[in-house]
Amino acid sequence: AQSVTQLGSHVSVSEGALVLLRCNYSSSVPPYLFWYVQYPNQGLQLLLKYTSAATLVKGINGFEAEFKKSETSFHLTKPSAHMSDAAEYFCAVSPRGATGANNLFFGTGTRLTVIP
Amino acid sequence: GAGVSQSPSNKVTEKGKDVELRCDPISGHTALYWYRQSLGQGLEFLIYFQGNSAPDKSGLPSDRFSAERTGGSVSTLTIQRTQQEDSAVYLCASRGAWGANVLTFGAGSRLTVL
């Protein structure tokens, strides 16, 4: 069974500091992995995805994530936080080759606060 | 359309009333998903459509919830006899035939049951 765990429902960082949002997955084979961001009163927007190419994936707004099979992790990072990064971030996992229903599993989300 | 469109954006209703939420997916997207996002919770899968059929309804919380999709396009999520615990943001997403399960989400419909 697929599942994804996000450690820390709330993360606060100072403007300009490193952002690190943690995500671990459980899967028998490496799945597809995603990070979505939800700004206030908006829908979810794809930030980046890992499908099988380079293990270090670069996304929009300066975010990147590294797939580490040995740690079953896909943590999201950004070197320097900006006020506009304040949002809710969701990690998601999808089995490879899956078709049909319910094949995207979301974590419970991490709310990022950026302190001026 | 250019994106996934949901209506209404906000709905306030009284307990016991029926509500309908509408989703207009990206043109040509064959798969359509409904999720529910409650305060402080993650995304709860409700139902998935491939074309007009719903092969997986396992996420619907009760028989008060139903959904349909017509013409392989617009979908309607109906909640009958609403309860206060139904208050949430209902998100719709669509996916094309390609793209490693990348979903494009609408802005959601916020439902408040008084």
Side-chain angles (χ1 to χ4, degrees), chain B:
Chain B
V4 178
S5 178
Q6 291 189 247
S7 62
S9 56
N10 274 286
K11 176 72 176 179
V12 179
T13 190
E14 294 179 348
K15 177 181 174 181
K17 301 284 188 181
D18 297 351
V19 297
E20 285 189 353
L21 307 177
R22 175 189 168 103
C23 174
D24 197 348
I26 291 174
S27 179
H29 276 195
T30 55
L32 186 147
Y33 298 75
W34 283 99
Y35 289 87
R36 179 167 71 174
Q37 185 178 24
S38 303
L39 188 64
Q41 303 292 318
L43 272 70
E44 176 188 4
F45 167 79
L46 297 179
I47 189 170
Y48 155 87
F49 286 92
Q50 180 61 47
N52 290 333
S53 64
D56 189 346
K57 305 177 183 179
S58 63
L60 294 177
S62 73
D63 59 8
R64 295 186 296 104
F65 287 72
S66 63
E68 65 175 14
R69 188 180 185 194
T70 55
S73 180
V74 173
S75 175
T76 302
L77 177 68
T78 301
I79 309 173
Q80 295 178 307
R81 306 181 301 281
T82 52
Q83 303 294 314
Q84 288 184 333
E85 61 262 29
D86 300 334
S87 296
V89 176
Y90 290 82
L91 293 169
C92 177
S94 68
R95 171 174 62 83
W98 308 102
N101 295 331
V102 174
L103 272 59
T104 301
F105 283 83
S109 291
R110 181 177 297 278
L111 174 65
T112 303
V113 182
L114 302 177

Side-chain angles (χ1 to χ4, degrees), chain A residues 63-102:
Chain A
F63 282 93
E64 61 183 36
E66 186 173 8
F67 170 70
K68 291 188 177 181
K69 182 179 178 181
S70 61
E71 299 178 6
T72 60
S73 69
F74 191 58
H75 301 331
L76 182 71
T77 61
K78 182 174 180 178
S80 177
H82 192 273
M83 295 299 294
S84 61
D85 295 327
E88 185 108 22
Y89 292 81
F90 292 91
C91 183
V93 60
S94 178
R96 289 180 179 276
T99 58
N102 197 18

